[in-house]
Amino acid sequence: MSRPIIAIPADIRHLDGAEWHAAQTQYLAAALNVANVMSLIVPAFEEGNDVDAILDRVDGLLVSGSATNVHPSLYGADARETDGPFDPGRDATSLALIRRAIERGMPMLAICRGIQELNVALGGTLASEIQEQPGIWDHRKPADVDRDEAFAIRQPVHIREGSCIARHLGMAGEVQINSLHRQAIAQTAPRLQVEATAQDGTIEAVSVIDAKGFAVGVQWHPEYWAESDAPSRALFEAFGNAVRAYQKRNA
């Protein structure tokens, strides 16, 4: 059987006066080298994408992080200038793919912006500038450092005993991760189960309660050190195994 292919929604980027549909190398490399799957980048159009036609051709969905934020109107809030930048094409593409992938029982791994999109897609809300809330840490990316230092693994999270992620990681309790964000889940969607939290109570991982297969979201960045950090590798390997099982069932 050929190596499976997963879909990854693109981000809109503006380079050299042109608009690009792009995905970061770290996500694609982790999928290829650790999950052992290939990636198909899905253009981020606000209208026109045929979700079923896309998912008919792949065996999994990886929803990546991004420098942009989900538009507040999608979870019933007013948008402030400080809530941006936004990417409406990414919103429209990701939310539709997430909902339909869950309906199909297709394996899905949602990372950073992805976990926020997953929560919104299923009816939850987000909180902005969480570092301004009493008792909440500053989870934002450190300024004036290189990328390796910015994405360094330095923050503990508590993995809930008996959770989906604990099973895939082969461990529960405290795990060190690299979480970089200024938005987070506020009201958890009814269909999501909290799998991990930071010491300040910030939700760092969820799973879809009634999912037919692997459907996990993490606020941290396992893609960055997937080839060298054991928990990061375990998460991508579990995703890859779920994708191959889905491919085999649907062959």
Side-chain angles (χ1 to χ4, degrees), residues 11-22 44-45 87:
D11 300 317
I12 297 298
R13 291 289 181 265
H14 297 274
L15 303 169
D16 297 327
E19 188 171 84
W20 296 70
H21 295 250
F45 291 118
D87 185 343

Side-chain angles (χ1 to χ4, degrees), residues 19-93:
E19 188 171 84
W20 296 70
H21 295 250
Q24 285 188 41
T25 296
Q26 283 87 355
Y27 298 96
L28 306 176
L32 182 66
N33 299 326
V34 181
N36 196 27
V37 299
M38 298 184 296
S39 298
L40 172 67
I41 300 174
V42 180
F45 291 118
E46 291 186 62
E47 297 179 346
N49 275 335
D50 185 331
V51 172
D52 278 314
I54 294 166
L55 295 181
D56 282 346
R57 290 161 170 80
V58 299
D59 303 294
L61 175 64
L62 174 61
V63 192
S64 71
S66 176
T68 61
N69 292 322
V70 179
H71 199 279
S73 63
L74 295 170
Y75 50 91
D78 294 327
R80 305 170 300 176
E81 185 175 347
T82 55
D83 290 333
F86 302 121
D87 185 343
R90 165 69 189 256
D91 290 340
T93 303

Side-chain angles (χ1 to χ4, degrees), residues 59-62 101 105-109 213-215 239 242-243 246 249:
D59 303 294
L61 175 64
L62 174 61
M106 177 177 286
M108 176 186 60
L109 176 59
F214 185 102
F239 175 58
V243 171
Y246 181 88
R249 288 196 305 271

Side-chain angles (χ1 to χ4, degrees), residues 12-248:
I12 297 298
R13 291 289 181 265
H14 297 274
L15 303 169
D16 297 327
E19 188 171 84
W20 296 70
H21 295 250
Q24 285 188 41
T25 296
Q26 283 87 355
Y27 298 96
L28 306 176
L32 182 66
N33 299 326
V34 181
N36 196 27
V37 299
M38 298 184 296
S39 298
L40 172 67
I41 300 174
V42 180
F45 291 118
E46 291 186 62
E47 297 179 346
N49 275 335
D50 185 331
V51 172
D52 278 314
I54 294 166
L55 295 181
D56 282 346
R57 290 161 170 80
V58 299
D59 303 294
L61 175 64
L62 174 61
V63 192
S64 71
S66 176
T68 61
N69 292 322
V70 179
H71 199 279
S73 63
L74 295 170
Y75 50 91
D78 294 327
R80 305 170 300 176
E81 185 175 347
T82 55
D83 290 333
F86 302 121
D87 185 343
R90 165 69 189 256
D91 290 340
T93 303
S94 289
L95 268 63
L97 287 170
I98 287 169
R99 293 184 184 114
R100 192 69 181 110
I102 292 171
E103 290 174 3
R104 285 172 167 242
M106 177 177 286
M108 176 186 60
L109 176 59
I111 296 173
C112 193
R113 189 194 210 270
I115 190 180
Q116 297 170 16
E117 290 170 310
L118 171 59
N119 191 52
V120 171
L122 298 183
T125 65
L126 303 178
S128 298
E129 307 303 339
I130 59 170
Q131 71 278 356
E132 298 175 0
Q133 298 179 12
I136 302 298
W137 298 349
D138 190 344
H139 293 255
R140 292 175 297 179
K141 184 170 71 173
D144 302 321
V145 297
D146 63 27
R147 283 183 64 80
D148 282 358
E149 186 175 351
F151 283 84
I153 295 172
R154 59 176 168 271
Q155 176 188 322
V157 296
H158 181 79
I159 307 292
R160 188 175 61 81
E161 187 77 37
S163 65
C164 175
I165 288 183
R167 183 171 69 253
H168 293 310
L169 297 185
M171 67 181 77
E174 186 172 294
V175 175
Q176 295 291 322
I177 53 90
N178 52 350
S179 193
L180 307 168
H181 57 106
R182 60 188 179 91
Q183 287 195 322
I185 292 175
Q187 180 180 351
T188 308
R191 293 174 66 188
L192 292 183
Q193 173 176 273
V194 176
E195 300 255 321
T197 54
Q199 291 178 346
D200 62 0
T202 301
I203 295 172
E204 291 286 345
V206 297
S207 64
V208 180
I209 294 169
D210 55 353
K212 301 173 186 176
F214 185 102
V216 169
V218 296
Q219 186 61 71
W220 67 85
H221 287 274
E223 81 287 347
Y224 202 87
W225 302 106
E227 297 188 44
S228 58
D229 173 64
S232 299
R233 171 177 284 276
L235 195 55
F236 265 90
E237 287 179 340
F239 175 58
N241 290 337
V243 171
R244 279 181 288 280
Y246 181 88
Q247 179 195 37
K248 185 175 181 179

